[in-house]
Amino acid sequence: MRKTLIWLIPALSLSALPVVAETVAPPRTAAEKQALRSRLDAEVDKQFRKTDSNRDGKISRAELTAVSPKNAAYFDLVDMNRDGTLSREELSAVASLMFENWVAKNG
């Protein structure tokens, strides 16, 4: 049975695009899980590059607000080290947590 996966990467990992909804089957094998994880990592990287407008390797609150004012409300939740910027690692950690929770619920 196919289930709809709503990747909330944009909202919770603060990437720039609106929520991406895809119909995907939960991974049945380690290879399928890795393939989905690779797609997720690529999307996080793409959105990070798009949002980091000054190319300093960090996303500031201003950069995020300029791209997605609605998602800026989540900034403090993802800024785990409270340095006032979002790193690729912080975004990846949130995306990883969300992915693992989705797999656990649907896999």
Side-chain angles (χ1 to χ4, degrees), residues 5 10 21 26 29 33 38 43 47-48 63 65 71 76-77 96 99 101 103 107:
L5 167 63
T29 66
K33 182 178 177 182
S38 293
E43 184 66 21
Q47 299 309 319
F48 187 91
E63 286 173 316
T65 301
N71 291 337
D76 291 329
L77 293 174
S96 180
F99 178 75
N101 284 337
V103 169

Side-chain angles (χ1 to χ4, degrees), residues 58-70:
K58 302 175 278 191
I59 296 174
S60 68
R61 187 181 303 272
E63 286 173 316
L64 182 62
T65 301
V67 173
S68 182
K70 183 171 98 174

Side-chain angles (χ1 to χ4, degrees), residues 40-87:
L40 176 70
D41 291 341
E43 184 66 21
V44 169
D45 188 58
K46 175 180 154 187
Q47 299 309 319
F48 187 91
R49 286 190 318 263
K50 180 178 180 180
T51 306
D52 181 20
S53 59
N54 66 1
R55 304 293 182 244
D56 66 352
K58 302 175 278 191
I59 296 174
S60 68
R61 187 181 303 272
E63 286 173 316
L64 182 62
T65 301
V67 173
S68 182
K70 183 171 98 174
N71 291 337
Y74 297 102
F75 189 94
D76 291 329
L77 293 174
V78 179
D79 184 15
M80 292 180 234
N81 64 3
R82 303 293 182 238
D83 68 350
T85 63
L86 303 179
S87 67

